[in-house]
């Protein structure tokens, strides 16, 4: 079974953030260390094979994505945590770094296979979250490690997202429903209560940045899957992360080249989000990419138990402020299969939605990346 294990590591508390040279050194040490390990030996002759890794270093630490073949989810997490922990200990420059999180990002279609693979006298509970906690308790009993602390993980996730919120430079708090102080007429508490708290907005913004990492990473994996299988979303027999979430009516058109164009579009859009240069969504593909990003952000918040009514309202306000209209939702409604592409759609003022127009700018003032905007027959000429 193949698992993608995500590992969050941090520099020692109180240490100054790493500069560009230090980050380059950390990348080299981590990549060299991980690449030197091919197989991890476990109990009873169990083996976990590492076949790919991605290392992304930031000023406060590093995010690692390690792909392994393991008998079950728990073994994948334990093996990777052991390897990363030993790697940090052996490196003089990284010895004081800490592992803040090590968990499997399991594709839903593989979940049942993981449960089946772990069948036996010591099988963990059927629920995935309960299995994780169960495994953490067993590990604690055997190796002296701390028990799984859901509350601590929730608080750590909140802290990460609040910090990440500063990276979403294009959107002030007002975009998330926070009242602009300049609009406050001081007439009473009702005006204050009408807006959301700044921390709710920051948490929503941080979730979008957190979700951006997942969005790009998972689209990369979908591109790789479709390239290797030489198929499209409708016919691919391997699990896909995100492209299956696009409108099903065009699933036969979502091949590897489309996936690369969509990935580039998502990167161009989120780059404008974080660089402070965003003005408007450029094309229908960006509207669909944002839809996926909002889903990723919501899943992250719900996973860590951070999605309450106020944060949900902040995301809703962001959605309403960024989208100019919601015409793209018609693509998910099979009962109006033709209205967006014919005379009826034009009469209603609906944006053309045939897949051939997805990467076409809405007007001359919008930016679409040259690679995404090129038709398949134009590539390579």
């Amino acid at each position: 079974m193949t698992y993608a294990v995500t590992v969050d590591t941090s520099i020692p508390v109180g240490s100054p953030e790493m500069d560009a040279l230090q980050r380059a050194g950390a990348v080299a040490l981590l990549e060299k260390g991980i690449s030197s390990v091919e197989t991890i030996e476990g109990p009873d002759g169990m083996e976990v094979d590492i076949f790919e890794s991605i290392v992304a270093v930031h000023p406060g630490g590093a995010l690692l994505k390690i792909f392994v073949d393991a008998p079950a989810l728990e073994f994948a997490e334990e093996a990777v945590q052991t390897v990363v922990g030993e790697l940090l200990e052996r490196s003089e420059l990284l010895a004081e770094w800490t592992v803040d999180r090590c968990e499997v990002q399991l594709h839903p279609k593989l979940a049942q296979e993981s449960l089946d693979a772990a069948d036996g006298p010591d099988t963990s509970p059927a629920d995935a979250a309960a299995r994780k906690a169960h495994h953490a308790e067993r590990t604690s009993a055997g190796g002296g490690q701390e028990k799984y602390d859901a509350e601590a993980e929730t608080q750590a996730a909140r802290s990460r997202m609040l910090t990440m919120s500063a990276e979403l430079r294009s959107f002030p708090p007002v975009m998330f429903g926070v009242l602009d102080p300049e609009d406050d007429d001081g007439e009473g508490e009702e005006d204050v209560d009408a807006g959301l708290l700044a921390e709710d907005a920051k948490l929503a913004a941080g979730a979008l940045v957190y979700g951006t990492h997942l969005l790009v990473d998972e689209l990369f994996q979908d591109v790789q899957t479709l390239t290797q299988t030489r198929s499209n979303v409708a016919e691919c027999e391997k699990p896909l992360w995100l492209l299956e979430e696009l409108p099903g009516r065009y699933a036969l058109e979502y091949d590897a080249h489309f996936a690369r164009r969509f990935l580039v579009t998502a990167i161009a859009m989120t780059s404008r989000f974080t660089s402070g240069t965003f003005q408007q969504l450029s094309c229908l593909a960006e509207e669909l990419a944002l839809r996926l990003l909002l889903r990723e952000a919501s899943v992250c918040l719900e996973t860590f138990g951070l999605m309450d009514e106020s944060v949900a309202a902040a995301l809703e306000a962001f959605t309403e402020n960024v989208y100019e209209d919601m015409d793209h939702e018609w693509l998910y409604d099979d009962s109006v299969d033709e209205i967006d592409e014919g005379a009826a759609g034009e009469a209603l003022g609906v944006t053309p939605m045939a897949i051939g127009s997805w990467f076409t700018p809405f007007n001359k003032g919008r930016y679409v990346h040259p690679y995404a905007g090129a038709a398949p027959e134009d590539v390579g000429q």
Side-chain angles (χ1 to χ4, degrees), residues 86-255:
E86 292 179 354
L87 170 60
L88 297 178
E89 290 178 5
R90 290 199 305 265
S91 173
E92 182 178 350
L93 296 177
L94 306 177
E96 296 184 5
W97 282 36
T98 58
V99 176
D100 302 326
R101 175 171 67 107
C102 180
E103 64 180 8
V104 163
Q105 185 181 11
L106 184 62
H107 191 286
K109 288 187 177 180
L110 302 181
Q112 187 58 50
E113 295 179 43
S114 173
L115 294 175
D116 294 340
D119 193 19
D122 296 322
T123 301
S124 304
D127 177 72
R131 290 180 69 207
K132 280 189 160 186
H134 174 74
H135 178 65
E137 291 175 3
R138 287 169 50 193
T139 302
S140 176
Q145 298 180 7
E146 294 183 2
K147 288 187 177 182
Y148 174 79
D149 190 335
E151 180 62 26
E153 184 174 0
T154 295
Q155 293 306 316
R158 172 186 286 275
S159 179
R160 282 198 301 272
M161 291 185 191
L162 290 175
T163 300
M164 285 180 167
S165 66
E167 299 178 37
L168 205 69
R169 297 180 178 87
S170 287
F171 305 108
V174 68
M175 292 289 288
F176 292 88
V178 177
L179 287 178
D180 189 334
E182 296 182 1
D183 294 335
D184 185 8
D185 56 14
E187 292 183 359
E189 293 185 1
E190 287 189 8
D191 296 321
V192 177
D193 293 340
L196 296 171
L197 295 176
E199 184 160 322
D200 296 325
K202 288 181 65 177
L203 195 55
L208 286 167
V209 177
Y210 195 106
T212 294
H213 291 272
L214 298 177
L215 175 76
V216 174
D217 191 15
E218 292 170 5
L219 284 175
F220 263 119
Q221 293 180 57
D222 281 356
V223 168
Q224 183 179 22
T225 297
L226 292 177
T227 300
Q228 291 176 341
T229 60
R230 297 183 180 182
S231 61
N232 54 62
V233 168
E235 300 171 336
C236 185
E237 296 181 355
K238 291 188 175 182
L240 295 165
W241 288 93
L242 288 178
L243 292 180
E244 289 181 321
E245 301 297 323
L246 293 178
R249 68 179 70 182
Y250 293 121
L252 286 169
E253 304 289 339
Y254 307 149
D255 57 12

Side-chain angles (χ1 to χ4, degrees), residues 16-40:
E17 292 187 342
M18 294 185 290
D19 57 28
L21 183 59
Q22 291 172 320
R23 294 199 297 271
V27 168
L29 289 171
L30 291 168
E31 289 183 341
K32 182 178 179 180
I34 295 172
S35 64
S36 67
V37 180
E38 293 183 358
T39 301
I40 309 167

Side-chain angles (χ1 to χ4, degrees), residues 38-42 46-50 68-71 75-76 79-80:
E38 293 183 358
T39 301
I40 309 167
E41 295 185 359
M46 180 271 297
E47 291 186 348
V48 175
D49 297 323
I50 297 178
V68 299
D69 283 331
F75 298 131
V80 170

